[in-house]
Structure formats: structure tokens, C-alpha cells
Amino acid sequence: MTDGASSDEDRAMGESILTVDLGALAENWRRLSARVRGAECAAVVKANAYGLGVAPVAQALLDAGCRTFFVAHLREGEILRQVVRDGAQARIFVLNGLAPSSARFFVESQLIPVLGSLPEIAEWAEFCVADGVPHPAAIHIDTGMNRLGLAARDLKLARALTSSFTPVLAMSHFVSAEDISAPSNRLQIERFEQACAQLPPMPASLCNSSGLFLEDAPFLDLCRPGYALYGGNPTPGSDNPMRRVVGLSSLVLQVRDVAAGEAAGYNARWTAPSRRRLATINLGYADGYPRSGSEGPIGAEVFAGGHYCPIVGRISMDLSIIDISETGPLRRGDRVEILGPNISIDELAAESGTIGYEILTRLGARYRREYIHGAETPAEAPASEDANPPA
Ligand SMILES: *Cc1c(COP(=O)(O)O)cnc(C)c1O
């Protein structure tokens, strides 16, 4: 009981550890900000900053200079407003728009709704007239997603209603920005330009992370990256231009040898082809490690003892089994890499039949979360220019 910190560390020994590199996150924002030249670079921090923790993420982005944030829900906006206290300093847009009768909550927390339909626009206009204040709002224009946003035929009516509030942003969203050859990209840019011409002049925004890397990317006035900030690859099929932000390690609970023909895991879906050495790790689908990683044709791997080790048998709720036969000696208590320098978010996603966005946003609530700064990243490739020891 003499040293509280060390007993805390002992406890952490038994946990999976999620490491979030806020230095790399800030660096990613600066890189994208430089890329968009004269345009403003916002940050999309919906879904608890893609699972990484909205409070530390937003604070790091604020410190880096970011002044415009996007969340999905009113509630997310209210939580973020607690972090971003000065409303004049930073704008928070709520992408999913105005739920019925929620206008006053937006105003109370200084949140800006992204109005995505005529009924939303009418309700905001009516609220502003009753309130006697032309509160700000963004207008979402549909250019092909058919999810949220005004159709071309709604623009005339919308235009008439905008006189009752302050339209501060017109935006639309790409269907296939990560596919640079998709014809929809050019088509959406044209439709967006046509729609904006029918609205009063206001700043415009189209690009998400991948949109920023399109040829002749339409940076316009403001860009809205999310995934790339968190280290996801916005250019699938090419090298990742972003720095890695997320690391995840888990722990070996047991090591055992099985003979050829013995099965492992639920429903005996895997059988040892020869004598194998297995390790059980304390990570499962309840931690957001996708169960599909043990069901698909490729299959997930972890990195341990300098080798990639395949998952064998079904991933269970709290546990997974890995084959460590080809690895150096691994013992109870050793850590294995789930995400990190050897396994990217995008790789784990591909092995699990999903996308990196889903890997991030499902990251478990039971991890010990450690927020670090750049140079402290353990096992980071050494040759980088920012390899100075932390101050
Ligand atoms: C989530 C979202 C973004 C961010 O997209 P990324 O691909 O993560 O960069 C931008 N705009 C809208 C409307 C979104 O819903």
C-alpha cells in the first residue's frame, strides 16, 4: 500500500491496453490542414471520436488549431460542448440534423444543426422567428447518397426559408470517395455546384478523408476528415499517408500444447493439423474484436514474439486462441499486438470482412486507455524525424 501507482500498474497487467497517440493525431490534422491549403480543416469526432474518446481527442485537436467539429447526435454535441467551452472559439455541427422539438437544446449548447430536409429547415426557421434570433445552421444537400439532404426540387422552398436564420455552411457527402475512379465523384461535385448556385451565397464543404485525396479534390471552404485523423488509410490500395494513432495489446492467459487432431474453441471449428502450441489471450468480441475474424476466408492474426500468429477456433466473447507454434517462447503474462506497427486498422478490417471504421468505432469499453504523445509510442519504427525522447 506504499505505492498506489504500482498497484495500479499491477492491475493493468491483466488488461488489454488501448493506446491513443494524441501527438500523431494532431500531426495528422496538421498534415490535412496543410493539404487543403486555403480551406478550413474541421474534424469529425462523432461516435466518441470514432471510439477513441472525444474529450482527449477534441482537446488535442483544439490545441493543434482545429476550430470546427462535427458530431452525429445532439447528445454528442452536448458532451463535446463541455470540452469545447467557448462557443465563440469553436463551432460544433450536428450532422444528423434537427430532431423534432429539439431546437432549443441546440441553442442552449451553442450547437449548429445540419438541416437535411425541408421539414427540418421549416422548423429551424420557425424557431428562429419565435426566438427573434437568426441562429446559425448548415444545409445538407443530397447529391447521390439518398440518405440525408435536400433534393434538387426542394432547393427553391429552402432558399425562401433561409431568410429566417443564418445559413453558415452548405454541405454534401461523397458516396465513393475512397474509389478514385468512381464516376460518382465528378457527378456529385457537379450536382453540388449546381445546388449551391440556387442557395444564398455561403461557405461550402464536400470532402471527407478520402475526398481530400481525390484528383482535383474540391476542398472548397471547409473539409471534414474523420477516419484519416485517427490513422485510417484514406487511400485504400496505396500507402497510408497518415501517422498511426491507435495501438492495442492483449495478454497471454495460458499456453498449451495440443496433439494432431485435437480441436479448439466453440463448435470445434478448428482441428490441429499437427502438434501445435496454442495461447489463449484475453480479448474477444465483447471487446470489439470482430468475431468474423475467425469465420472468414482470410482470418485475423495477432503479432507476438516477432511473428504473425493466426487466430484458431472461434473468437469468443472474452477470449481468443492463437497458434504460436512458429513463434519464440511466449509465456503467461506476455503481451501480444492486436493493432500497432505490425497490424493496421485497415489490415484487421480486411481480415475480418469489414472496414476500419467499424473496427475503430467498436473498440471496447473494457480496455485500459492510455493517451500518449508521439515520441513515447512504444515499438514505433525508429527512423522518424520526431524520435526525440519526451520532455
Ligand atoms: C462521418 C462523416 C464524415 C467523415 O468521414 P471520414 O470518411 O471518416 O473522413 C464527413 N462528412 C459526413 C457527412 C460524415 O457523416
Side-chain angles (χ1 to χ4, degrees):
M1 299 272 58
T2 50
D3 188 350
S6 90
S7 83
D8 218 38
E9 266 163 37
D10 290 346
R11 189 173 297 120
M13 287 288 294
E15 294 173 316
S16 296
I17 301 177
L18 181 76
T19 312
V20 179
D21 185 340
L22 297 174
L25 171 87
E27 164 72 19
N28 285 342
W29 183 82
R30 282 191 291 266
R31 276 184 198 177
L32 297 178
S33 195
R35 183 175 182 83
V36 304
R37 286 173 237 133
E40 180 180 357
C41 188
V44 180
V45 296
K46 61 196 179 188
N48 195 28
Y50 288 47
L52 300 190
V54 71
V57 162
Q59 191 57 57
L61 291 168
L62 271 175
D63 293 345
C66 181
R67 288 295 174 268
T68 298
F69 297 87
F70 287 83
V71 295
H73 296 177
L74 170 64
R75 182 87 190 108
E76 291 178 348
E78 290 171 341
I79 291 168
L80 179 57
R81 185 48 88 197
Q82 300 299 311
V83 181
V84 181
R85 287 200 168 272
D86 184 354
Q89 270 257 335
R91 300 185 297 169
I92 303 174
F93 287 93
V94 177
L95 288 166
N96 286 10
L98 185 69
S101 309
S102 64
R104 66 191 174 92
F105 301 112
F106 280 83
V107 172
E108 268 171 26
S109 294
Q110 292 176 286
L111 306 174
I112 306 173
V114 179
L115 305 171
S117 67
L118 273 182
E120 287 177 47
I121 292 181
E123 186 170 334
W124 190 250
E126 197 182 324
F127 177 84
C128 289
V129 169
D131 210 30
V133 182
H135 296 291
I139 295 178
H140 195 151
I141 294 160
D142 180 44
T143 52
M145 184 81 96
N146 270 314
R147 189 176 65 170
L148 294 175
L150 296 177
R153 64 179 172 280
D154 298 331
L155 291 170
K156 213 167 155 212
L157 253 176
R159 184 191 176 99
L161 291 164
T162 54
S163 58
S164 304
F165 59 93
T166 309
V168 292
L169 188 72
M171 56 163 272
S172 191
H173 193 43
F174 281 120
V175 171
S176 305
E178 74 287 355
D179 176 1
I180 50 172
S181 65
S184 58
N185 294 326
R186 176 67 16 218
L187 192 66
Q188 287 189 273
I189 294 169
E190 284 164 16
R191 285 182 181 157
F192 187 56
E193 281 168 0
Q194 287 160 10
C196 287
Q198 296 182 60
L199 291 172
M202 70 182 103
S205 171
L206 192 48
C207 286
N208 67 332
S209 297
S210 292
L212 287 169
F213 291 87
L214 290 172
E215 208 184 317
D216 300 322
F219 300 136
L220 306 177
D221 299 293
L222 181 139
C223 295
R224 311 185 307 269
Y227 191 51
L229 294 173
Y230 310 111
N233 187 357
T235 58
S238 306
D239 286 347
N240 190 348
M242 311 315 298
R243 270 187 65 182
R244 181 173 67 78
V245 173
V246 179
L248 176 60
S249 75
S250 191
L251 187 84
V252 173
L253 300 176
Q254 299 197 355
V255 173
R256 68 181 64 229
D257 291 318
V258 296
E262 277 195 73
Y266 281 121
N267 313 118
R269 281 278 300 253
W270 177 86
T271 307
S274 57
R275 183 178 172 79
R276 306 308 279 174
R277 176 158 292 181
L278 306 182
T280 303
I281 61 174
N282 70 336
L283 180 83
Y285 60 78
D287 301 293
Y289 195 56
R291 185 172 176 275
S292 53
S294 62
E295 306 299 299
I298 312 175
E301 294 178 326
V302 311
F303 194 80
H307 290 263
Y308 289 96
C309 309
I311 299 281
V312 299
R314 286 201 145 129
I315 291 168
S316 22
M317 185 184 294
D318 320 295
L319 300 164
S320 301
I321 306 166
I322 59 175
D323 184 340
I324 58 168
S325 311
E326 320 301 334
T327 310
L330 266 193
R331 292 192 319 242
R332 169 174 170 256
D334 283 349
R335 287 206 162 263
V336 301
E337 175 187 325
I338 309 300
L339 291 171
N342 301 291
I343 303 176
S344 71
I345 304 161
D346 293 281
E347 283 163 343
L348 176 59
E351 292 165 357
S352 309
T354 183
I355 55 173
Y357 292 70
E358 190 177 10
I359 299 288
L360 285 181
T361 53
R362 295 189 54 200
L363 286 170
R366 325 191 254 201
Y367 304 135
R368 177 187 179 88
R369 286 171 178 246
E370 292 182 351
Y371 293 91
I372 61 163
H373 276 273
E376 294 167 32
T377 311
E380 181 76 87
S384 75
E385 56 280 49
D386 55 359
N388 307 315

